[in-house]
Amino acid sequence: MEGEALSALSTPALVVDMDKVKKNAQRMIDRYQRMGVQLRPHMKTHKTLECADLMTGGSQRCIVVSTLAEACFYADHGFDDILYAYCLPFDKVERCAALSERLDLFQVLLDHPDALEQLKRRPLKDGRLWHIWLKLDCGNGRAGVLHSEPEALRLAQAIAGTEGVELTGVYAHCGNTYNCRGSEQIQAVAQETTNFTLQFMEKLKAVGITCKSSIGSTPSCSHPVKDMEQLSEVHPGNYVFYDVQQSVIGSCTLEDVAVRVLTRVIGHCPHRNQLLIDCGWAGISLDGAGKLSTGYAMIEGHPNLKLLSMTQEHGRLEPISGQLDYSKYPLGSLLTLIPYHACATAMMHAVYHVHSEGCLVGKWVPTRGW
């Protein structure tokens, strides 16, 4: 289908604007080169080789993954220096060991002494070291040992003092930027996370420990503060696609969003003043519920339409105000949805249709599973 228009696709279809992806990827590379900070892009949004190549500037080195399926996928295709940034699942220790013994640099994350014990029980072959990042909670409130608690320093010291392992770095996710609106609020969270991380690094230095530091989220890395220049690395991911959520937060503009879901009108329901489309929750994320005046997504070029609800394979559209003019939406006509959450939406699709200026140029096939 290369060279054909997007309208040639069967729907629902996830389409990716190659030009916007390249622009988003290069902008982040350039930003952190200027700051003197290593960019370690996160693969979780797209999970494809092609996009990973763009995000690493062709180096195929220094990436973050959220699943072992991703880690193995990238390792199998020549990528190295991979950080599995998910607190070590005990059922996956042996698979992590295999990657650690195979790659030049495979790194794991932990936030509990029991995880360290698991690694001590599985020494690596040929004198190799487990490379460990300590996960800190610097206000996000998800995984991680709280930065201010004595347990955090004790765990870091335990890692540093254990034979067969190395404390490679300290890792914090400032996901609390997702509650922000505008660059000023984003930068306030980025500053706080940076401060807490750097303060913890000073605690490590005081007990004779040196290692890397890394924070990340797409909002904070899209609007970095100057003190982030003191960090070793940053690890954003969503930025390569962006989405409506990021535009609402203030990370980007809608013009930066590189993904869309194409859908077709399959039903007229004048008794309900609604249209039916062939994209349900199996084709686009439910995350936008209650967060947008346009429902679960934005309907490009139709600001008065609202994606009111979805079942597995159907979506219901209705006007925000007034009556539908069904002559404007004949059966079979194409509509374009801008997803609220690109990561979740991409997970719904087994193939991404890549285009440049509206003409198809190829397909990207993501990895799946855990």
Side-chain angles (χ1 to χ4, degrees):
M1 298 182 74
E2 288 189 29
E4 292 192 274
L6 296 183
S7 58
L9 293 171
S10 178
T11 53
L14 184 80
V15 296
V16 177
D17 187 322
M18 174 67 93
D19 304 308
K20 290 183 179 181
V21 165
K22 287 181 175 179
K23 182 178 179 181
N24 292 341
Q26 193 60 50
R27 183 167 50 209
M28 197 67 77
I29 289 171
D30 293 344
R31 177 180 293 135
Y32 286 96
Q33 282 182 343
R34 289 193 301 269
M35 291 179 67
V37 176
Q38 175 65 55
L39 175 65
R40 182 181 291 276
H42 209 309
M43 302 292 105
K44 71 181 184 66
T45 297
H46 58 90
K47 307 188 186 214
T48 66
L49 296 173
E50 297 87 349
C51 205
D53 197 53
L54 293 170
M55 293 173 85
T56 60
S59 73
Q60 299 188 337
R61 293 294 183 271
C62 201
I63 62 172
V64 185
V65 298
S66 57
T67 68
L68 271 183
E70 293 166 52
C72 293
F73 175 69
Y74 288 111
D76 288 346
H77 289 89
F79 284 73
D80 211 319
D81 188 354
I82 299 171
L83 169 57
Y84 177 32
Y86 192 89
C87 289
L88 183 72
F90 294 176
D91 63 314
K92 298 178 176 65
V93 170
E94 191 56 40
R95 291 169 64 194
C96 288
L99 285 166
S100 295
E101 292 167 348
R102 168 186 168 192
L103 298 175
D104 287 341
L105 186 57
F106 180 73
Q107 301 155 88
V108 296
L109 189 81
L110 59 78
D111 65 356
H112 197 280
D114 287 357
L116 178 59
E117 287 301 314
Q118 290 286 325
L119 299 183
K120 288 166 64 176
R121 293 174 196 162
R122 180 33 174 110
L124 299 177
K125 298 174 184 175
D126 302 321
R128 285 179 173 249
L129 300 176
W130 283 104
H131 296 278
I132 299 173
W133 288 72
L134 174 63
K135 179 64 179 287
L136 279 189
D137 179 356
C138 291
N140 183 40
R142 192 172 66 182
V145 58
L146 194 62
H147 68 96
S148 56
E149 290 297 317
E151 287 82 358
L153 183 57
R154 284 200 290 267
L155 182 52
Q157 289 177 292
I159 296 168
T162 297
E163 186 177 351
V165 308
E166 172 192 270
L167 178 60
T168 304
V170 171
Y171 185 102
H173 173 51
C174 39
N176 40 336
T177 51
Y178 281 73
N179 299 319
C180 294
R181 292 295 181 270
S183 60
E184 187 174 331
Q185 289 185 17
I186 291 170
Q187 290 185 320
V189 174
Q191 185 68 61
E192 180 181 69
T193 306
T194 301
N195 289 346
F196 288 155
T197 302
L198 293 175
Q199 287 165 14
F200 189 77
M201 300 307 291
E202 287 299 313
K203 293 179 185 177
L204 292 180
K205 187 177 177 181
V207 295
I209 297 173
T210 58
C211 64
K212 295 179 182 179
S213 56
S214 182
I215 75 164
S217 73
T218 282
S220 62
C221 293
S222 296
H223 295 291
V225 294
K226 183 169 178 55
D227 283 344
M228 287 169 65
E229 293 177 354
Q230 299 177 57
L231 299 167
S232 308
E233 299 185 357
V234 292
H235 50 263
N238 172 280
Y239 70 91
V240 74
F241 282 175
Y242 282 126
D243 50 32
V244 171
Q245 178 179 217
Q246 295 290 349
S247 73
V248 171
I249 292 169
S251 307
C252 67
T253 68
L254 273 179
E255 182 60 29
D256 297 317
V257 180
V259 290
R260 305 285 191 274
V261 175
L262 302 184
T263 184
R264 284 187 166 86
V265 176
I266 58 168
H268 289 170
C269 309
H271 57 293
R272 296 198 306 267
N273 196 30
Q274 289 180 348
L275 300 169
L276 277 184
I277 56 174
D278 65 357
C279 181
W281 53 253
I284 198 166
S285 168
L286 288 166
D287 284 6
K291 298 171 183 175
L292 298 171
S293 61
T294 54
Y296 289 91
M298 294 184 70
I299 300 87
E300 194 163 37
H302 299 277
N304 193 45
L305 285 182
K306 179 177 184 176
L307 181 52
L308 177 71
S309 64
M310 292 182 284
T311 54
Q312 186 167 342
E313 305 296 349
H314 293 83
R316 297 183 183 92
L317 291 176
E318 68 177 27
I320 293 174
S321 62
Q323 293 294 310
L324 278 173
D325 180 353
Y326 288 95
S327 67
K328 294 181 179 178
Y329 309 101
L331 296 182
S333 58
L334 200 64
L335 293 173
T336 302
L337 307 179
I338 313 177
Y340 181 79
H341 188 185
C343 309
T345 298
M347 279 296 297
M348 307 289 184
H349 295 264
V351 62
Y352 311 157
H353 300 276
V354 184
H355 69 95
S356 176
E357 297 181 352
C359 287
L360 293 166
V361 295
K363 296 178 181 179
W364 292 350
V365 179
T367 191
R368 290 289 179 253
W370 291 271

